[in-house]
Amino acid sequence: MKKVILSALFLTTMAVEAQQSYAGLRESNYSGIFPVTSNPANMISSKRSWDANIATVNFGFGNNAIKLTPNITDSFNEYTRVDTQNAIFGYNNIKAKINVDVLGPSAFVKINDQHTVGIFSRVRLLGNVRNIDAKMLQSFVSDLDKLELKTPYQVNLNDQEIVVNAFSEVGFSWSGEVYFDGTNTVKVGASAKLVQGSGNVYVGFKDFEGSATLTPNTDKDKVNLNIQSANGTLEVLNGGMDLVDFDNVKVNKLYFNSEATTLAFDLGATYEFRKDGCPRCHNNPHDLRVGISLMDLGRLQYTANKNSYRYKMPATQSTTLSLDDLSEENLKNHFDGTKATGSKLRSSLPSTFNLSADYRVVDAFYLNLSGQVNIASTKDKELYNATYANEISLTPHYDTNSFGAYLPISYNQVSKANVGIALRLGPLVLGSSTILGNVLTRSAKEFNFFFGLRFGHQSYPVDL
C-alpha cells in the first residue's frame, strides 16, 4: 500500500452505492431461486416442484454525472479521463454505485403445498462513497493552470468517505403456507446463512471541528489543502483481503477467503388473493400478491491488517498538504500517524426493508411494483457499512413455464430513472435493468447486465 491515498482518491470517482440484482426475475413464479433474493416467502409460490441455479452473474455501475452509452469502453474512458473537461468535475457532490453479485449453485424442492426448502450460495462486492467534494478531487488530478480555482475554496472534510465490503454466503431457506381458504393465502419464509467476509476497506475523514481550505499554490502549480482544527482523524482501514490494491483482489479469495464470519437472516411474508376461491387449488396463479421482507440482517467484524492507519491532527492544530502528494509517507509527515493494526472494523450487511405488489392483469401478464429501503446505519461512527441504494421499480412481465419477458422501470438515488429488459428462455436467463435507456435514449447514467443458467421441473399444472 505504497500510495494508499492516491488509490483512495481515484476510487472517490466511484461513489459506490449498489442497486439490487436480477431485475425482473426477483418476483417471478417461474424463475426458480431468484425470488429468494428479495423475499424468502416467495419460494413456496413457485410453479415448479424443484429448481436449480448453476451460476448467474450480475454487474452494475451507475453515477450522477456521465452518460453511459452502449459503447462502454468510450463511456468509461470519458469517466476516468484526467482533465478538467471531464463532466464529473461539474458536480460538487459526486455519486455513483457498483454492485458485483454472483449467485452460485443453489436449489429448492417443494415438499408439499405447505412446505418448500432450499439451499443457496452467493458472492457479493459492494460499497459506498459519501459526500465527496469534486473540487478537492479536481485539485488532486489537475495542474493549477487548468483549474477554475483562483481563490481559496472552503471544504467540509467531515464524512467524506469510501467503504467497500466483499463477502460470500451459504444459506438454507424455508417457506411455508400458514393460511389458505381458496381465496386468501398467507405465506411466510426465512433464510439462515453463514456469511464469510473476505475484505473490508474504509477511507474517510472524521471529527474535524475547524476549517479546511483549498488554496492555489502558484509556486508549484498545484493546490494546497490547509486544515485548521483542534481535532480530526483521517482513517485508512483495511480488514481481510487488501481491497485498496486491486492487483491483489482474486476471485477465488472472494469466495473462499474468510476474514470475518457471522450468522445472518432473511425474513419475509406474503399475502395472495385469488378470485376463483377454489378451496383445494393451492397452485392456481394469484390475482394479487403483496410481500414484505427484511433482508441481510447481520453484522461482520473484521480485524484491521498491517496496512491500516489513523492519521490525527497534530498538536499545532494546523497542517498544510500539497495535493500533488498524498502518499502514505507524506501523510505521516503532516499528521500524527498511528498504526491501526488489530483494530476492529464492524460492518453491517446491506440490510434492506422490501415491499412488493404483483397484480395479474390477464392470463400470464402481470404488473409488479417493488421498493427497497436501506436500513443499515450510515451515521454510526463505529460502523463501516456498505449499503444498497433506496430504489423503486415498476415491472410489467409475461411469465409462462418456458418463457418470461420483463420490462423493469426503476428510479434510484444515484442514477435516477432507468429502463431495461430481461428474458428467461428455458434454462437461460439474461437481461439488464438499464439497456433500453443506454441504447434508445443514450442518456442513462447507469449500466447493468446479468446472465446465467438454471434448470428445473416443468411447472405444476394449474389446479382445476
Side-chain angles (χ1 to χ4, degrees), residues 150-446:
K150 306 303 180 184
T151 59
Y153 173 78
Q154 203 79 14
V155 178
N156 180 17
L157 292 180
N158 279 330
D159 301 324
Q160 293 194 42
E161 59 187 12
I162 178 172
V163 57
V164 177
N165 195 14
F167 57 94
S168 63
E169 58 196 273
V170 177
F172 171 83
S173 295
W174 166 87
S175 63
E177 184 181 85
V178 296
Y179 178 80
F180 175 77
D181 65 9
T183 300
N184 305 285
T185 309
V186 177
K187 301 175 181 180
V188 297
S191 297
K193 48 196 183 183
L194 180 67
V195 180
Q196 296 182 312
S198 300
N200 181 288
V201 64
Y202 175 88
V203 180
F205 296 90
K206 293 184 177 181
D207 301 324
F208 285 85
E209 298 175 352
S211 63
T213 307
L214 296 175
T215 305
N217 182 346
T218 55
D219 292 338
K220 293 187 177 182
D221 196 29
K222 288 291 182 181
V223 175
N224 287 341
L225 175 62
N226 303 306
I227 306 175
Q228 306 288 330
S229 179
N231 298 298
T233 303
L234 169 58
E235 292 186 330
V236 181
L237 306 175
N238 193 176
M241 184 169 49
D242 190 352
L243 293 177
V244 172
D245 183 357
F246 281 93
D247 290 337
N248 291 333
V249 176
K250 307 296 182 183
V251 174
N252 62 328
K253 287 185 177 181
L254 289 176
Y255 202 90
F256 298 108
N257 193 53
S258 179
E259 298 292 338
T261 303
T262 192
L263 185 64
F265 299 93
D266 302 330
L267 304 172
T270 63
Y271 164 77
E272 296 179 1
F273 170 79
R274 293 175 177 82
K275 296 177 181 178
D276 54 40
C278 177
R280 58 182 180 83
C281 304
H282 294 263
N283 204 54
N284 279 3
H286 62 264
D287 293 292
L288 174 66
R289 182 179 68 210
V290 178
I292 183 172
S293 66
L294 291 169
M295 306 297 292
D296 294 312
L297 302 176
R299 179 181 296 177
L300 291 165
Q301 180 169 282
Y302 294 88
T303 299
N305 62 27
K306 63 181 180 180
N307 293 322
S308 298
Y309 292 87
R310 286 189 173 93
Y311 301 96
K312 296 185 178 182
M313 283 295 296
T316 59
Q317 302 182 12
S318 176
T319 190
T320 299
L321 292 168
S322 176
L323 291 183
D324 66 336
D325 185 7
L326 291 181
S327 64
E328 181 179 298
E329 294 79 7
N330 194 40
L331 286 173
K332 290 180 180 178
N333 293 331
H334 289 83
F335 291 92
D336 294 332
T338 59
K339 278 274 192 180
T341 304
S343 299
K344 300 303 179 183
L345 283 69
R346 295 186 299 134
S347 175
S348 292
L349 296 179
S351 308
T352 56
F353 172 72
N354 299 267
L355 283 170
S356 69
D358 199 56
Y359 174 71
R360 184 158 70 113
V361 180
V362 60
D363 296 329
F365 287 96
Y366 294 80
L367 186 63
N368 182 269
L369 178 66
S370 298
Q372 67 171 16
V373 179
N374 166 53
I375 58 173
S377 173
T378 59
K379 302 298 183 182
D380 190 332
K381 294 182 179 181
E382 300 302 318
L383 294 177
Y384 302 93
N385 294 343
T387 63
Y388 284 116
N390 296 335
E391 186 174 60
I392 187 168
S393 62
L394 179 68
T395 307
H397 60 108
Y398 177 82
D399 262 317
T400 64
N401 176 65
S402 58
F403 175 76
Y406 313 86
L407 186 70
I409 305 166
S410 61
Y411 182 92
N412 65 65
Q413 291 174 299
V414 178
S415 62
K416 308 307 180 185
N418 291 287
V419 183
I421 190 169
L423 297 172
R424 179 175 48 80
L425 304 170
L428 175 67
V429 294
L430 72 162
S432 165
S433 62
T434 66
I435 191 63
L436 293 184
N438 299 130
V439 173
L440 299 180
T441 70
R442 303 180 72 85
S443 62
K445 294 179 180 178
E446 182 171 338

